[in-house]
Amino acid sequence: MNIQGISPVAGVLGRRGLQALLVAALVGTLSFFLMRMLPGDAAYRIAAGRYGYDLVSAAAAEAVRVELGLDQPWYLALVGWWAQLAEFDLGTSLVTGHAIADDIAHQLGHTLLLAFCAMALSLLIGPALGILAGLRPGGAIDRITLLGATVLRAFPPFVLGILLILGLSVHLGYLPAAGHGEATSVVLPALTLALGLAAGSCRIARDAFSQVVNSPYYAFGRTKGLSDRQVLLRHGLRNAAVPIVAYLGMQMVFIIEGVVILETLFAWPGIGHALIHAIFWRDVPMIQGCVLVFALLFVTLNTLVDLACLALDPRRRH
Amino acid sequence: MRGRHNPSRRRFTTQLALGGLAAGLGLPRPVIAHPNGDHAHDPLPATNQIPGVLSIVGPWELTGLDPSRAGFMFSRMEIAETLFDAADDGSPLPGLAARWTQSADGREWLLQLRPQARFHDGSPVSAADVVHALNLARTKPGILGLVPIERIDAHQDQVRIRLKHAFTALPAALAHSSTQILAPASYDPDGVVRGVIGSGPFRLTHLQPPQRFEVERFAGWDGPPPAIERATYLAVGRGETRALMAESGQADLVFGLDPASLQRLQGHPTLQVESVVIPRTIYLKLNAGHRWLTDPRARQAISLALQRSGIAHAVLRERSLAASQLFPPTLDDWHVPALPPLHHDLAQARQLLRELGWHTDAQGMLFRSDGAQTEVFSLNLRTFPDRPELPIVATAVQEQLRQLGIRVTVSLGNSSDIPAGHRDGSLELALGARNFAVAPDPLLTLMQDFGPSGGDWGAMGWHDPALDATLDALQRTRDASARQHLRTQAAQILHQALPVIPVAWYRHSAALHPRVNSAGLDPLERSYRLSRMQWSR
Amino acid sequence: MNPASESSLPAALSIQPKPVRAYFGSRSVGAALLVLVAAFALFGPTLSGSDPVAQDLENFLAAPDAANPLGTDHLGRSMLARLAHAAQLSLWLALLSVASALIPGAALGILAAWRGGWVERVSVVIADSVLALPGLLLVLLLATFAPGAFWPLYLGLSLSFWVEYFRVVRARSHILLASPQIESARLLGFGPLYIVRRHLWPELAPMLGTLMSFSAATAVLAMAALGFVGVGIRPPTPELGVMMIELLPYYQEAPWLIAAPIGLLTLTVLGLALVGRDRSSMQ
Amino acid sequence: MSLAFQVDELQVRAGHNVLIDALSLSLKAGEALTLLGESGAGKSLLAQAIMGNLPSGLRASGQVRVGQHTSPAGEGAKRRPLWGRQIGLLPQEPWLALDPTMRVRDQVAETHALVTAVRWPEARTRAAHDLDAIGLAHARDHYPHQISGGMAQRVAFAAVHAGAAPLLIVDEPTKGLDAALRDDVVALLQQTLAEGGAVLTITHDVAVARALGGSIAVMQQGQIVEQGDAASVLNAPAHAYTRALLAAEPARWPDRPPTQIGQCLIQGRKLGKRFGHRLLFEQLDIHIHAGERLAIQGGSGSGKTTLGNILLGLIAPDHGEVLRAPGLPRQGLQKLYQDPAAAFAPRLSLGQALRDLIRLHRLDGRELGPLLTRLRLSPSLLERLPGQVSGGELQRIALARLLLLKPAVIFADEPTSRLDPLTQQETLTLLADTAETHGCALVLVTHDPDIATRLTSTQLQMP
């Protein structure tokens, strides 16, 4: 149906695909220079990571240097770097010596679980409250959610996380404070993230919904003779969902950033946790792998949001 | 564990929820269950702990499987054993080796293994397996490099170690976790560890590096069966998260608590806090080759500027941890009570520096004019946050040296920055915490740190032949009183020359859930003593 | 379509649901909060009179008193002085990174919309690749180059912020440049400078104002978050995130200490959010 | 004939402000009643009062009877069950009243299914029939953004019609539609009447009233000033306002005498332009002479504005060329916009905008005063922002702004399509007058053939 002959889905995929390539190039380049510009002796850092700092010695560092070929000239390293990246080979961790792809594949599951739970929770909380608030703008629910959302947004996620641990875990013992392995472990970090997300989506939902309710087509639905419930279901929800889903794309940044910070706080073994560790140890291939996977994850999620928007809103398809 | 809900708790739920928020916001927690209590603590909440599974939380992550990398974790969880074990005072105890003999010249050791010892794959531990493991360990960085080994081989059913010269600390070296004995099936043909098959009372069942692994009681263990059937270890990087996990009752045994959290947990009505002073000392490593620090008077001045008791009081929360000398009193053999304690005397410190030509400017900072050019006394101090108290101590040291007139910048980096700086000569000051019992005999550590070329974690640009001679004699001498004399001598040399400046001693602590009875903490940090723990009920 | 023009009600009587923000008077409350924080940051150091790094190890965790109105921290340093310095640092970072993102971002956005062609395509490609990297990740990557330094934070934040300004300005400028008001201005003979000054800027400014307050809040929070995970500004420089993480263990012993940086951070972000919220739903 | 609808003594107030006063109307089944009046006369408010969905803050009193149901005007909720079933309301600007995310067939079908309680498959079949019947068979599965304004008007009609309410209220049905589409709508309304429905139409378009017949009520400032059957009101208006309203109909405007035509200023040769795959025009030749009045006519989307922009040099044609008379300065061509508010910087006061222009071209600022007087503009208006003056005034200020530059050609792009008839007449007359006074050519884009013929001497009909 499209005039230009390119289907909108292909358009989204193409644009996002290009974006993914660009970001991979950006991250790869930055990582390479990072590797080259590391202050101090990389071999020493790696040795300390491997053997513990009590055992780091010149001999250990020398062993690492030879093993990893850190003494080769930079142009060879650059070529190798790019060749590896192009083959989706993320290399091996400077610290553990594991294949990074394996490590990340394992961590990605945890990160996705956390992100998914957070998103699901936030969609349960945010839009529901937003719709209640939007049905009666200026009403009690509207004012309470506005206050709640504003204050919640002003709270750094890690502070919120600590408060939730103190409240729900230390004082009440409902949930494990941190860690993983138990089914309930995901609840606290997901809830922390979800509250922040819901604070945003709640207001967006409220605005979207009050806009829909005040729209001519909503009024037309009513004057056509539909009941309030029928208008809400047939003309309210889908139209209000369009900006909410579009906003979800903007919330992806919040999710990714939140995951990085909260995984560290909650000892959740995802990529965010791994990234902070890798930064700490200057494990550049690992940093590159983590950032790359995050960026690609981010692009992928945004692609899904784009496609969802296309599905929801026919205007975008033409 | 939902059934364990305190019936009265539900009533307080809402108040507590507010209380939790209030506490987090820094508001005093409302006193609820303790009408008279000034420090209102709730009893430990019923958590989702799994019955029968002991959960241990610590800061250390598994960075690999090789004994040289993460062997200490497998030792602490009693998965893998070393040939020797150590008593709390560091003296050798039998490990995998049940008995041992050494030749008259001390150059040949014969070790007899425990006959019933089995690896977790069911195979018996043979002398050949031990030789295989040790020879692999020798190729990797670790303590074995310090030992003058000539050859290791199997002699009938015994392990024979041939030394180049007598070496008294051999049992200590063979108690170090990097000399762990793993079953041959643990290694691939290249000698890379692919699985951890040890011979300890616990067997690794689940490995999820770098954060988590699980063990269970090994049925084939030849000693008394432990009471704990299963245990998990979880690495949690953040100190405050660890403390909160202890507080919430989620973990049974929590290590690596920062002093402030420790203080808080000690007030907890049900949690037990165990602590023990360990042979670890926080000290300033300095580059004695640096032109400002070569003169012992400069190092003396820095030492005199340190307000150790203040640091111990405010940061470590225990005044007695202020170091009066390098070796803490727990190191019975090395601590010399007669040494004049290190103390704080700013006036004397200034006097010493004046003798070296330093003057103070209007801001009280030191400078020295050398005819044409003027130099300002400023130094870079490297430290790292792996141990939560180090950055705080560094901040305190920074300020105390500023009082003296030395401008110190703190670089908070990676622990490896210190050995790296040592090696390339760029290091000026460093704050670290050195465990003198990495191997149970501090002699090994001293050899590493204060040998002729200094050590990554020890002296830099400083060398004393008298100390070399003393340490060398200690390696060879077996006579107890002669050894004691030599140790005192070494301690005195270090105390006077100050190649490193001690700041504080170290306390090792853990929070313990009331459902377990501890077997006490290991002052050598070698073991969590899992096999000796009991359930309370 | 312009429904208002045909409204059957006299303008003065237009009946709309009362805007919710009226209940909070949000913009003025936000501005007041920011003025308070800024005044504290500016004058706090002078008022407290103490050195933010001077320690008194014998008087640590002291409760607030006349000498130390906010008490002393775990090294016996004046909390008031430290907090004021931390506020100064956070506000500086926010101001600096927002300003250095705004100027090139907005300029490039206008240029891309105006010139179109390869200028636009290239700048969109650059923006897209930066956009695929959440800001915090960029900051983390750069912070690895120089841990504990100020510049990676500043550079990373500016680098991730400019895209937002660029995108918004470009999109809005595209619409405006095609609008009758600018077409007529061109027909009337006005030059680019006039069009930017009188037509583009007044339309862009309120939106940019909102965006600026948002990115300033993001900057303040990001700095604290990085401090929290140990990649931010290094001690002993007072910084809110680092202070929080340092003081958290004392939450029971000296709750006022941890409350102070959290409270200040929350007030700052709240102030920025309230000032910006006017148009928040526009995005 | 049964009474379809009646209001008695209807009053609508906002606080103490009376917006509609003592209004009584009645309408029998099968008849049409048209309410004529200018914007702001309270016409739309009347529709809302009858439906019972006045904005909060407005209070109604009096009685409303719809079919057999009588209820106090103030208790709107009582009439809610009648919506769709007893009263149908054809919305203003139906392209906004259709749900943008739903196919048009479903929007018609839902009335069948949910209002007249037909099962869904049957409702869809009926909806398809309804759409076929109004010539929209090809657009059944389109979304509202894919159809034109006129089609949207018909879809909305079908959606309302499906409820088979005996009373149809139509609010400004021709707003924003060109003449051809207006006739379409009128035809649909006439069909409803023929089917026995009662139609209450609210409009300022006299042509609609004339076409529907029945009776007419003329409203001014919330009150009915004249009421009667269509023929008598339209042919023998009694009230001055009615007379003015009728006189403002373009068809009744006096013809303007032709002007002196000078040299050719702009010549378009063999112009061609496509928009996507759609051909707007090709091989089009056009000349504009000094002093000429030219109308470009055509339905919406026929490329009138595009042609104008090509002549102005704002966009390039795909084929052909535009030649300008030598010596014609760049500012010699000026444009008057459909929406005058969009042609001003909204945050810049009108006076400042004019002063900027005077300074830019070093004009004589003293000319402004007389110019404003001639355009019947108070100088005090210049202190305001564009959004603070009425559409008619703003269009005249826009005209004043152009005239300062003494242009040779004024290109007026539907300059009054958003104004009510009286203002439209006033504005267009002034435009033509001043163009004549200043001796500039006027190119007027309009979809109203009456305006074109009355105002201009040459007409160009777009294909």
Side-chain angles (χ1 to χ4, degrees), chain B residues 9 70 83 99 110 133 140 155 193 254 275 278 383 390 412:
Chain B
R9 176 167 296 120
L83 287 171
R99 291 183 308 278
L110 277 174
K140 291 174 183 155
H155 180 71
V193 179
V254 178
S275 55
I278 58 171
T383 190
L390 286 185
L412 195 60

Side-chain angles (χ1 to χ4, degrees), chain B residues 25-26 29 238 264 317 319 395, chain C residues 58 228 249 252-253 255 259:
Chain B
L25 278 168
R29 199 194 306 203
R238 303 193 68 91
R264 191 172 78 239
R317 309 304 289 275
R319 260 189 219 281
T395 313
Chain C
E58 296 304 321
F228 184 80
Q252 217 162 50
E253 258 178 291

